Amino acid sequence: MKEYLEIIILALVLISCTESKKEQPNVVFIMSDDHAYQAISAYGGTLNKTPNIDRLANEGAIFTRATVTNSICSPSRAVMLTGKHSFVNGRLANSGTFDWGQDNVAKQFKKAGYQTAMIGKIHMPGLPQGFDHFSVLEGQGKYYNPDFIQEGGKKKRYHGYCAHVIWNQVKDWLDAREEEKPFFLMYHPKAPHRTWMPEPKYFELFEDTEFELPQTFNDDYKNRPSAAKQKMSIAEDMDLCYDLKMLDKEGEIKGRYRRNAQNLYNRMDSAQRAAWDKHYEPIIAEFKAQNLKGEALAKWKYNRYMRDYLSTIQSVDDGVGKLLDYLEANDLDENTIVVYTSDQGFYLGEHGWFDKRFMYEQSFRTPLLMKYPKSIKPGTTIDALVQNLDFAPTFMDFAGIDIPSDIQGESFRNLVSDRDSTWRDFAYYTFYEYPGEHNVNRHYGITTKRYKLIHFYYDEDNWELYDLEKDPHETNNIYTLPEYKVIREMMHKKLNQVRTKYGDNDALNQEFLQKALEARKARKNKNRQAH
Ligand code: SGN
Ligand code: CA
């Protein structure tokens, strides 16, 4: 009798294990590169239409105040992978090393019996760890005929446009996976990163649209010296040949990055070049004939930038549509969490800029949409201050994986399912890539739903305070105003508490600075020796 009982108990345990395995959701994490929330129609903007990304909002949740902890590519990706701030995971800037040996979200899923894959851009040195399969763009990746790094570090070139090449690999992996196991898939489009090279299908899409300049396009940066010294102005820093495709065959249009533009063009095959020329040559001819200067030139640049940038997003949106259709067609849509986000936001002419890096809203925030029919009601809007820091623990929570205690992010599972009202009321930010491209100084800061306090340091010591309710465009730095004394003190106190909580401080920043200076010196010496 006892033996029978044991067998029955064992059978029940086995059944419940397979049942709970079956219940474990699949996760598809789609993260594009530099996609501004302003360029997603579900966020209410009118610049473009993103019907497929919008499906995630209609069928699930849209986050209106999602932010990154460090608005630059590789560091943001490291935060997303580890659930730890940059000063803990060690990836401060796009340059330097990354320790793939540390724990990451894919390793946790793999350990829990998932099939794991990463396909697309990751922008990290070294070979990804934690994935059964990876095929990642070399460095930033190319729009046309991109190279991928695959298992064992092998490089493989794929012919075609990046969005298609990446989707085709995603589909092949999904087709070939073991059906009885759940999967964790990171699908990382390259677009809409600089230099915004569209696919021919969308060349004409925005050609008849005249885009209105954003309200702050001609910002004077009053009381914001750190903002004033950046080099990411559309009018001043955007290169005609490289960024705006005015690479005339006659070589008359000058640009600092003309050679880089030529290299991108040379990479295309003859059919790709023919289609490219057919579209851009008449635009180049018209541009030359107009001989624009000053404000008219700035406006023209903005419009060209927007047309190309938005066109590349259409291809990303198509990829999201293909993925959602695939899940439906294969009966996977009910049990799969689909997330769409970007590695950070981007300026679309606000403050006169392109690029990111600053803790101001457009680059601090990032799009975040999430669908999971089993626990997220269609049409949910979440305005809590979630961050990319929280992605890893959230996915683990949904999958029933124990969240390691050293993870700094928090699971927002309850926030999307039951509307947890105890979510933290702040978000913390750090940025280190300075001196560097676009000249945005090192800074850190804290935001609440209403106020934002930022400290720029290194070769400056500038504090900024914004009242986001009264000043959503962040053009009025109220840090020194006497009427904001109480708020200023309250925010400083909060900042100190938060830095202590996460383990960040000035001494650590000094240490990082020292290391950066030493690395720079070593690089210089190496270069000198090489010459
Ligand atoms: C490149 C771009 C920059 C961009 C950084 C970081 N220049 O260096 O404009 O800020 O990447 O972008 S480019 O001439 O190479 O296009 S990130 O998304 O990788 O962080
Ligand atoms: Ca990026």
Side-chain angles (χ1 to χ4, degrees), residues 322-393:
K322 285 179 194 161
L323 185 267
L324 293 176
D325 291 347
Y326 182 99
L327 295 178
E328 262 172 46
N330 290 279
D331 242 354
L332 291 163
D333 52 325
E334 283 298 309
N335 197 36
T336 301
I337 299 171
V338 182
V339 179
Y340 184 85
T341 190
S342 169
D343 61 345
Q344 11 69 207
F346 214 66
Y347 295 96
L348 303 185
E350 299 87 358
H351 306 284
W353 298 337
F354 64 103
D355 216 66
K356 52 258 178 177
R357 298 159 191 267
F358 280 109
M359 198 197 169
Y360 305 130
E361 289 295 284
Q362 289 79 11
S363 51
F364 180 36
R365 276 173 58 184
T366 197
L368 179 61
L369 306 97
M370 187 172 180
K371 179 195 162 204
Y372 182 38
K374 283 195 177 155
S375 58
I376 307 176
K377 282 203 204 85
T380 301
T381 300
I382 309 269
D383 62 4
L385 300 176
V386 300
Q387 296 200 277
N388 59 344
L389 185 73
D390 306 312
F391 291 170

Side-chain angles (χ1 to χ4, degrees), residues 32-34 72-73 77 121 193 342-344 356:
S32 56
D33 193 7
D34 293 1
I72 186 86
C73 195
R77 290 158 195 264
K121 181 173 173 178
H193 191 274
S342 169
D343 61 345
Q344 11 69 207
K356 52 258 178 177

Side-chain angles (χ1 to χ4, degrees), residues 516-531:
L517 290 175
E518 277 160 25
R520 188 132 54 97
K521 213 158 129 198
R523 264 200 313 271
K524 269 194 182 156
N525 277 343
K526 208 167 147 200
N527 284 345
R528 207 175 298 138
Q529 274 162 17
H531 283 112

Side-chain angles (χ1 to χ4, degrees), residues 273-527:
R273 281 186 212 164
W276 186 268
D277 288 343
K278 187 163 169 262
H279 175 63
Y280 284 105
E281 278 187 349
I283 300 172
I284 295 175
E286 196 192 336
F287 173 68
K288 282 182 158 184
Q290 281 176 313
N291 195 22
L292 300 168
K293 299 263 175 321
E295 264 177 48
L297 178 60
K299 196 168 169 204
W300 179 91
K301 281 182 162 186
Y302 172 68
N303 268 276
R304 285 263 37 103
Y305 163 45
M306 290 309 290
R307 287 182 190 130
D308 286 345
Y309 177 88
L310 295 173
S311 300
T312 66
I313 287 173
Q314 287 323 119
S315 312
V316 175
D317 190 67
D318 286 346
V320 174
K322 285 179 194 161
L323 185 267
L324 293 176
D325 291 347
Y326 182 99
L327 295 178
E328 262 172 46
N330 290 279
D331 242 354
L332 291 163
D333 52 325
E334 283 298 309
N335 197 36
T336 301
I337 299 171
V338 182
V339 179
Y340 184 85
T341 190
S342 169
D343 61 345
Q344 11 69 207
F346 214 66
Y347 295 96
L348 303 185
E350 299 87 358
H351 306 284
W353 298 337
F354 64 103
D355 216 66
K356 52 258 178 177
R357 298 159 191 267
F358 280 109
M359 198 197 169
Y360 305 130
E361 289 295 284
Q362 289 79 11
S363 51
F364 180 36
R365 276 173 58 184
T366 197
L368 179 61
L369 306 97
M370 187 172 180
K371 179 195 162 204
Y372 182 38
K374 283 195 177 155
S375 58
I376 307 176
K377 282 203 204 85
T380 301
T381 300
I382 309 269
D383 62 4
L385 300 176
V386 300
Q387 296 200 277
N388 59 344
L389 185 73
D390 306 312
F391 291 170
T394 302
F395 304 152
M396 289 184 213
D397 197 8
F398 269 115
I401 298 171
D402 288 338
I403 301 167
S405 59
D406 60 347
I407 281 200
Q408 296 185 302
E410 291 162 55
S411 165
F412 52 79
R413 180 184 172 191
N414 288 339
L415 202 59
V416 274
S417 337
D418 324 321
R419 303 307 188 87
D420 181 352
S421 57
T422 60
W423 188 255
R424 55 167 198 255
D425 62 352
F426 64 86
Y428 184 57
Y429 185 81
T430 58
F431 179 80
Y432 306 88
E433 198 173 287
Y434 180 90
E437 200 177 1
H438 300 299
N439 213 39
V440 174
N441 208 346
R442 292 178 182 232
H443 58 292
Y444 60 88
I446 184 174
T447 197
T448 62
K449 277 200 174 159
R450 178 155 180 188
Y451 300 103
K452 188 187 287 180
L453 178 67
I454 314 176
H455 184 213
F456 292 91
Y457 64 96
Y458 182 69
D459 51 8
E460 289 172 313
D461 182 14
N462 297 329
W463 287 92
E464 296 183 1
L465 179 65
Y466 296 98
D467 181 339
L468 298 172
E469 210 172 281
K470 290 194 182 152
D471 176 31
H473 299 296
E474 298 164 290
T475 50
N476 187 19
N477 175 14
I478 52 176
Y479 186 77
T480 54
L481 299 190
E483 60 269 38
Y484 278 94
K485 183 171 181 281
V486 175
I487 301 291
R488 185 171 61 237
E489 284 170 0
M490 180 272 288
M491 288 301 284
H492 267 291
K493 192 168 158 209
K494 228 175 163 54
L495 178 66
N496 290 342
Q497 284 168 348
V498 167
R499 294 186 91 198
T500 307
K501 170 185 155 85
Y502 287 134
D504 194 17
N505 53 58
D506 292 350
L508 201 53
N509 285 341
Q510 260 326 104
E511 207 180 291
F512 291 145
L513 269 172
Q514 212 45 48
K515 274 194 195 144
L517 290 175
E518 277 160 25
R520 188 132 54 97
K521 213 158 129 198
R523 264 200 313 271
K524 269 194 182 156
N525 277 343
K526 208 167 147 200
N527 284 345

Side-chain angles (χ1 to χ4, degrees), residues 176-194:
R177 76 187 203 284
E178 291 171 53
E179 284 190 16
E180 53 298 335
K181 276 192 186 174
F183 60 85
F184 178 76
L185 167 64
M186 307 189 99
Y187 165 15
H188 295 177
K190 171 188 166 47
H193 191 274
R194 193 182 184 188

